[in-house]
Amino acid sequence: MSLPHALLGLLSYKPATGYDLKAAFESSINLFWNASLPQIYRTLSQMEKDGWLSFIIKHQEGKPSRKIYQMTDKGKKELQNWLAAPPEVPQAKNSLL
C-alpha cells in the first residue's frame, strides 16, 4: 500500500485537512500502518502538484488558517486504477540475511 493511495482512500469519504487525515489514520489503519504528520503533509503537497488534489483555505478567527484538501477528477481516476490493479506480491525475506 502506498501513502498517496491511502490518503486518496480517506479523502474519498470527504474533504479533510492534513491533521484530520492523521486522526483518520490513527482511528482506522494505525494498527498495521502508521504515517507521521510531516509524512502526510509532504505527500499531500506532492499529490497536489501531481493534480490529484486541490485545496481551499478556510480562515479562522484567532487560529491558523486551515488547508482543506479534496480529490480532483484525476485523483479519483488514480484511486480507481489503483483499486482495480492486482495487489502487489510482498517480497519474501531471505532468512539467511
Side-chain angles (χ1 to χ4, degrees):
M1 181 185 292
S2 75
L3 182 56
H5 294 106
L7 293 172
L8 285 174
L10 292 171
L11 287 167
S12 70
Y13 291 102
K14 65 179 182 177
T17 65
Y19 185 81
D20 295 336
L21 292 165
K22 174 64 175 161
F25 251 85
E26 290 177 354
S27 68
S28 60
I29 58 178
N30 192 47
L31 294 174
F32 59 92
W33 188 28
N34 188 22
S36 69
L37 202 51
Q39 280 179 302
I40 290 172
Y41 280 115
R42 277 192 309 270
T43 304
L44 289 171
S45 178
Q46 184 58 51
M47 293 167 68
E48 192 266 326
K49 288 176 187 172
D50 292 340
W52 295 359
L53 302 177
S54 62
F55 64 86
I56 59 168
I57 295 183
K58 182 178 178 185
H59 298 286
Q60 303 181 100
E61 279 293 317
K63 296 180 184 177
S65 297
R66 296 174 50 156
K67 192 183 267 192
I68 302 171
Y69 292 92
Q70 60 188 15
M71 278 197 302
T72 63
D73 289 338
K74 189 174 179 181
K76 290 175 187 176
K77 184 175 181 178
E78 175 61 29
L79 180 61
Q80 290 170 347
N81 290 341
W82 181 74
L83 289 171
E88 295 175 14
V89 178
Q91 295 288 332
K93 294 183 181 182
N94 187 335
S95 60
L96 294 176
L97 295 177

